Amino acid sequence: MTDEASPTRIPMDEAELFERRMARTGGDRSRLEWSGYKVYSQSDEDGIIDEIFRRIGAPNRTFVEFGCEVGLENNTRYLLEQGWRGLWMEGYPEYAGAIRASFFADLESGRLALRPTYVNRRNINDLIRDAGLSGEIDFLSIDIDGNDYHVFEAIDVISPRLVCLEHNHSFRKGEEWVMPYDEDYRWDPAAGRADYGASLASMAALAARKGYTLVGCGLVSPNGFYVRSDLVGDHFAGPFTAERFFNPIDVDAVLRYPVTPHHGMPKPRPPLPVAEPPPTPPPSPDSLRAKVANALPGPLRSALRGAKRLLTGG
């Protein structure tokens, strides 16, 4: 899946969004699909996250996200630009380098920490702790197309109020499946395999064991949202089951999800300037003469030198 919609795809309009929300929710306005919007997220995650925190509060304004790619499209950039602070972890060296370039000011100020490494269940707690985070934070987002289930299971150094977990959309609602743990696994979308992560039902079961409740999913994307169970109260309507909240993925709709540049969005960052080479100074007359002379055949070049000596007395 690409970072941006193809220019040949027409973004969904409000009428299409309304029809999709009605079809997925049956008109139940308590469902989170009605709150979704996209600022920097892949589809409607920014709006759903905003709505959940409107209901449960975000007293710490802190986040952890791993699998954040270059930082331009993920689940926490919008929070960062609203003054939150947190930690990004990204294993691909090229992506980490792009983050350093695009978010230099945030990194320098200390509002954003970056760990350019692959995460696993052995190192995840140390990585978070070494970034100065422990105890309650507000938001954890996991999307690594691999050991998501196992890494989430291992995390115990933080207690997020909200967790977003990408699940494997290849499995039917209610079907349980978890990939075997493999630290060397790297998902290759071109291979056509669907052997990464875990199904929504398995993610929800793990979350429940860790004290979290599934409260909704993205409208067209395979993201589940889990609120710490002590915070659910009457802010969300049950039943809180994978069967109820499962929404099939629609890749075309994800790519066509419209950007909504309101909801208090700050002015977008300007694109990074492209470094241009310094202008080449014009050649001096002496260098031009030398260039022309060197291009002449040897005998003619010698004849010209002799004529110059006769004329100048040199």
Side-chain angles (χ1 to χ4, degrees), residues 149 168 171 175-180 194-203:
Y149 177 99
N168 189 321
F171 297 90
E175 186 175 0
E176 294 197 13
W177 181 87
V178 180
M179 71 166 278
D195 56 352
Y196 60 89
S199 67
L200 177 62
S202 292
M203 285 292 198

PDB file of all heavy atoms in Angstrom, residues 149 168 171 175-180 194-203:
ATOM      1  N   TYR A 149       1.637  -9.067  17.382  1.00  0.00           N
ATOM      2  CA  TYR A 149       0.979  -9.746  18.494  1.00  0.00           C
ATOM      3  C   TYR A 149       1.986 -10.032  19.612  1.00  0.00           C
ATOM      4  O   TYR A 149       1.739  -9.731  20.792  1.00  0.00           O
ATOM      5  CB  TYR A 149       0.360 -11.048  17.981  1.00  0.00           C
ATOM      6  CG  TYR A 149      -0.315 -11.915  19.016  1.00  0.00           C
ATOM      7  CD1 TYR A 149      -1.694 -11.893  19.179  1.00  0.00           C
ATOM      8  CD2 TYR A 149       0.415 -12.799  19.815  1.00  0.00           C
ATOM      9  CE1 TYR A 149      -2.326 -12.711  20.108  1.00  0.00           C
ATOM     10  CE2 TYR A 149      -0.204 -13.610  20.744  1.00  0.00           C
ATOM     11  CZ  TYR A 149      -1.572 -13.570  20.892  1.00  0.00           C
ATOM     12  OH  TYR A 149      -2.191 -14.386  21.814  1.00  0.00           O
ATOM     13  N   ASN A 168      -4.353  -8.765  10.926  1.00  0.00           N
ATOM     14  CA  ASN A 168      -4.312  -9.381   9.598  1.00  0.00           C
ATOM     15  C   ASN A 168      -5.743  -9.529   9.102  1.00  0.00           C
ATOM     16  O   ASN A 168      -6.545 -10.262   9.679  1.00  0.00           O
ATOM     17  CB  ASN A 168      -3.609 -10.737   9.684  1.00  0.00           C
ATOM     18  CG  ASN A 168      -3.345 -11.339   8.313  1.00  0.00           C
ATOM     19  OD1 ASN A 168      -4.171 -11.249   7.414  1.00  0.00           O
ATOM     20  ND2 ASN A 168      -2.193 -11.970   8.163  1.00  0.00           N
ATOM     21  N   PHE A 171      -8.324 -12.928   7.637  1.00  0.00           N
ATOM     22  CA  PHE A 171      -9.107 -13.918   8.373  1.00  0.00           C
ATOM     23  C   PHE A 171     -10.502 -13.387   8.676  1.00  0.00           C
ATOM     24  O   PHE A 171     -10.691 -12.201   8.927  1.00  0.00           O
ATOM     25  CB  PHE A 171      -8.377 -14.297   9.669  1.00  0.00           C
ATOM     26  CG  PHE A 171      -7.053 -14.945   9.401  1.00  0.00           C
ATOM     27  CD1 PHE A 171      -5.904 -14.172   9.283  1.00  0.00           C
ATOM     28  CD2 PHE A 171      -6.961 -16.314   9.221  1.00  0.00           C
ATOM     29  CE1 PHE A 171      -4.676 -14.759   9.009  1.00  0.00           C
ATOM     30  CE2 PHE A 171      -5.735 -16.914   8.942  1.00  0.00           C
ATOM     31  CZ  PHE A 171      -4.594 -16.132   8.836  1.00  0.00           C
ATOM     32  N   GLU A 175     -12.481 -15.527  13.593  1.00  0.00           N
ATOM     33  CA  GLU A 175     -11.478 -16.569  13.370  1.00  0.00           C
ATOM     34  C   GLU A 175     -10.181 -16.208  14.091  1.00  0.00           C
ATOM     35  O   GLU A 175      -9.674 -15.096  13.940  1.00  0.00           O
ATOM     36  CB  GLU A 175     -11.216 -16.724  11.869  1.00  0.00           C
ATOM     37  CG  GLU A 175     -10.288 -17.874  11.526  1.00  0.00           C
ATOM     38  CD  GLU A 175     -10.144 -18.067  10.023  1.00  0.00           C
ATOM     39  OE1 GLU A 175     -10.765 -17.293   9.255  1.00  0.00           O
ATOM     40  OE2 GLU A 175      -9.402 -18.979   9.621  1.00  0.00           O
ATOM     41  N   GLU A 176      -9.632 -17.143  14.855  1.00  0.00           N
ATOM     42  CA  GLU A 176      -8.405 -16.885  15.605  1.00  0.00           C
ATOM     43  C   GLU A 176      -7.201 -17.439  14.851  1.00  0.00           C
ATOM     44  O   GLU A 176      -7.227 -18.567  14.349  1.00  0.00           O
ATOM     45  CB  GLU A 176      -8.494 -17.495  17.010  1.00  0.00           C
ATOM     46  CG  GLU A 176      -9.554 -16.832  17.873  1.00  0.00           C
ATOM     47  CD  GLU A 176      -9.373 -17.143  19.351  1.00  0.00           C
ATOM     48  OE1 GLU A 176      -8.300 -17.661  19.726  1.00  0.00           O
ATOM     49  OE2 GLU A 176     -10.308 -16.856  20.118  1.00  0.00           O
ATOM     50  N   TRP A 177      -6.145 -16.615  14.778  1.00  0.00           N
ATOM     51  CA  TRP A 177      -4.895 -17.031  14.124  1.00  0.00           C
ATOM     52  C   TRP A 177      -3.787 -16.088  14.562  1.00  0.00           C
ATOM     53  O   TRP A 177      -3.973 -14.871  14.628  1.00  0.00           O
ATOM     54  CB  TRP A 177      -5.018 -16.974  12.605  1.00  0.00           C
ATOM     55  CG  TRP A 177      -3.751 -17.414  11.914  1.00  0.00           C
ATOM     56  CD1 TRP A 177      -3.390 -18.681  11.577  1.00  0.00           C
ATOM     57  CD2 TRP A 177      -2.675 -16.563  11.474  1.00  0.00           C
ATOM     58  NE1 TRP A 177      -2.161 -18.687  10.969  1.00  0.00           N
ATOM     59  CE2 TRP A 177      -1.697 -17.400  10.894  1.00  0.00           C
ATOM     60  CE3 TRP A 177      -2.444 -15.189  11.532  1.00  0.00           C
ATOM     61  CZ2 TRP A 177      -0.505 -16.900  10.372  1.00  0.00           C
ATOM     62  CZ3 TRP A 177      -1.258 -14.677  11.017  1.00  0.00           C
ATOM     63  CH2 TRP A 177      -0.311 -15.536  10.437  1.00  0.00           C
ATOM     64  N   VAL A 178      -2.615 -16.654  14.871  1.00  0.00           N
ATOM     65  CA  VAL A 178      -1.434 -15.882  15.260  1.00  0.00           C
ATOM     66  C   VAL A 178      -0.233 -16.460  14.527  1.00  0.00           C
ATOM     67  O   VAL A 178      -0.038 -17.682  14.524  1.00  0.00           O
ATOM     68  CB  VAL A 178      -1.176 -15.948  16.784  1.00  0.00           C
ATOM     69  CG1 VAL A 178       0.069 -15.141  17.152  1.00  0.00           C
ATOM     70  CG2 VAL A 178      -2.388 -15.455  17.563  1.00  0.00           C
ATOM     71  N   MET A 179       0.585 -15.589  13.912  1.00  0.00           N
ATOM     72  CA  MET A 179       1.787 -16.078  13.251  1.00  0.00           C
ATOM     73  C   MET A 179       2.790 -16.552  14.306  1.00  0.00           C
ATOM     74  O   MET A 179       2.860 -15.998  15.408  1.00  0.00           O
ATOM     75  CB  MET A 179       2.425 -14.991  12.381  1.00  0.00           C
ATOM     76  CG  MET A 179       3.079 -13.851  13.139  1.00  0.00           C
ATOM     77  SD  MET A 179       4.159 -12.810  12.101  1.00  0.00           S
ATOM     78  CE  MET A 179       5.672 -13.788  12.104  1.00  0.00           C
ATOM     79  N   PRO A 180       3.570 -17.588  14.005  1.00  0.00           N
ATOM     80  CA  PRO A 180       4.629 -18.007  14.935  1.00  0.00           C
ATOM     81  C   PRO A 180       5.650 -16.880  15.096  1.00  0.00           C
ATOM     82  O   PRO A 180       5.944 -16.155  14.149  1.00  0.00           O
ATOM     83  CB  PRO A 180       5.245 -19.232  14.248  1.00  0.00           C
ATOM     84  CG  PRO A 180       4.239 -19.676  13.234  1.00  0.00           C
ATOM     85  CD  PRO A 180       3.498 -18.456  12.811  1.00  0.00           C
ATOM     86  N   ALA A 194       0.116 -13.826   3.225  1.00  0.00           N
ATOM     87  CA  ALA A 194      -0.694 -13.203   4.283  1.00  0.00           C
ATOM     88  C   ALA A 194      -0.413 -13.901   5.602  1.00  0.00           C
ATOM     89  O   ALA A 194      -1.319 -14.272   6.331  1.00  0.00           O
ATOM     90  CB  ALA A 194      -2.173 -13.284   3.929  1.00  0.00           C
ATOM     91  N   ASP A 195       0.886 -14.071   5.898  1.00  0.00           N
ATOM     92  CA  ASP A 195       1.277 -14.851   7.071  1.00  0.00           C
ATOM     93  C   ASP A 195       1.868 -13.983   8.171  1.00  0.00           C
ATOM     94  O   ASP A 195       2.757 -14.395   8.894  1.00  0.00           O
ATOM     95  CB  ASP A 195       2.279 -15.932   6.671  1.00  0.00           C
ATOM     96  CG  ASP A 195       3.518 -15.353   5.976  1.00  0.00           C
ATOM     97  OD1 ASP A 195       3.526 -14.141   5.678  1.00  0.00           O
ATOM     98  OD2 ASP A 195       4.470 -16.119   5.738  1.00  0.00           O
ATOM     99  N   TYR A 196       1.390 -12.758   8.284  1.00  0.00           N
ATOM    100  CA  TYR A 196       1.946 -11.836   9.269  1.00  0.00           C
ATOM    101  C   TYR A 196       0.907 -11.522  10.348  1.00  0.00           C
ATOM    102  O   TYR A 196      -0.292 -11.643  10.163  1.00  0.00           O
ATOM    103  CB  TYR A 196       2.369 -10.524   8.591  1.00  0.00           C
ATOM    104  CG  TYR A 196       1.229  -9.814   7.900  1.00  0.00           C
ATOM    105  CD1 TYR A 196       0.439  -8.903   8.593  1.00  0.00           C
ATOM    106  CD2 TYR A 196       0.916 -10.071   6.570  1.00  0.00           C
ATOM    107  CE1 TYR A 196      -0.627  -8.265   7.986  1.00  0.00           C
ATOM    108  CE2 TYR A 196      -0.148  -9.439   5.944  1.00  0.00           C
ATOM    109  CZ  TYR A 196      -0.904  -8.538   6.660  1.00  0.00           C
ATOM    110  OH  TYR A 196      -1.975  -7.923   6.045  1.00  0.00           O
ATOM    111  N   GLY A 197       1.391 -11.082  11.520  1.00  0.00           N
ATOM    112  CA  GLY A 197       0.512 -10.557  12.560  1.00  0.00           C
ATOM    113  C   GLY A 197      -0.433 -11.576  13.153  1.00  0.00           C
ATOM    114  O   GLY A 197      -0.092 -12.729  13.407  1.00  0.00           O
ATOM    115  N   ALA A 198      -1.660 -11.149  13.339  1.00  0.00           N
ATOM    116  CA  ALA A 198      -2.689 -11.992  13.946  1.00  0.00           C
ATOM    117  C   ALA A 198      -4.052 -11.488  13.506  1.00  0.00           C
ATOM    118  O   ALA A 198      -4.210 -10.328  13.112  1.00  0.00           O
ATOM    119  CB  ALA A 198      -2.581 -11.970  15.470  1.00  0.00           C
ATOM    120  N   SER A 199      -5.043 -12.350  13.597  1.00  0.00           N
ATOM    121  CA  SER A 199      -6.407 -11.954  13.246  1.00  0.00           C
ATOM    122  C   SER A 199      -6.965 -10.999  14.303  1.00  0.00           C
ATOM    123  O   SER A 199      -6.440 -10.895  15.416  1.00  0.00           O
ATOM    124  CB  SER A 199      -7.291 -13.189  13.140  1.00  0.00           C
ATOM    125  OG  SER A 199      -7.441 -13.788  14.426  1.00  0.00           O
ATOM    126  N   LEU A 200      -8.053 -10.325  13.946  1.00  0.00           N
ATOM    127  CA  LEU A 200      -8.687  -9.413  14.898  1.00  0.00           C
ATOM    128  C   LEU A 200      -9.153 -10.158  16.145  1.00  0.00           C
ATOM    129  O   LEU A 200      -8.979  -9.683  17.274  1.00  0.00           O
ATOM    130  CB  LEU A 200      -9.867  -8.699  14.242  1.00  0.00           C
ATOM    131  CG  LEU A 200     -10.671  -7.767  15.166  1.00  0.00           C
ATOM    132  CD1 LEU A 200      -9.809  -6.629  15.691  1.00  0.00           C
ATOM    133  CD2 LEU A 200     -11.911  -7.218  14.446  1.00  0.00           C
ATOM    134  N   ALA A 201      -9.723 -11.340  15.972  1.00  0.00           N
ATOM    135  CA  ALA A 201     -10.218 -12.097  17.122  1.00  0.00           C
ATOM    136  C   ALA A 201      -9.078 -12.440  18.079  1.00  0.00           C
ATOM    137  O   ALA A 201      -9.236 -12.353  19.310  1.00  0.00           O
ATOM    138  CB  ALA A 201     -10.923 -13.365  16.656  1.00  0.00           C
ATOM    139  N   SER A 202      -7.918 -12.810  17.528  1.00  0.00           N
ATOM    140  CA  SER A 202      -6.781 -13.150  18.385  1.00  0.00           C
ATOM    141  C   SER A 202      -6.195 -11.912  19.045  1.00  0.00           C
ATOM    142  O   SER A 202      -5.790 -11.950  20.219  1.00  0.00           O
ATOM    143  CB  SER A 202      -5.706 -13.875  17.565  1.00  0.00           C
ATOM    144  OG  SER A 202      -6.171 -15.149  17.166  1.00  0.00           O
ATOM    145  N   MET A 203      -6.137 -10.807  18.314  1.00  0.00           N
ATOM    146  CA  MET A 203      -5.651  -9.560  18.909  1.00  0.00           C
ATOM    147  C   MET A 203      -6.565  -9.126  20.052  1.00  0.00           C
ATOM    148  O   MET A 203      -6.102  -8.707  21.120  1.00  0.00           O
ATOM    149  CB  MET A 203      -5.578  -8.464  17.855  1.00  0.00           C
ATOM    150  CG  MET A 203      -4.418  -8.567  16.888  1.00  0.00           C
ATOM    151  SD  MET A 203      -2.822  -8.289  17.690  1.00  0.00           S
ATOM    152  CE  MET A 203      -1.808  -7.935  16.251  1.00  0.00           C
TER     153      MET A 203
END
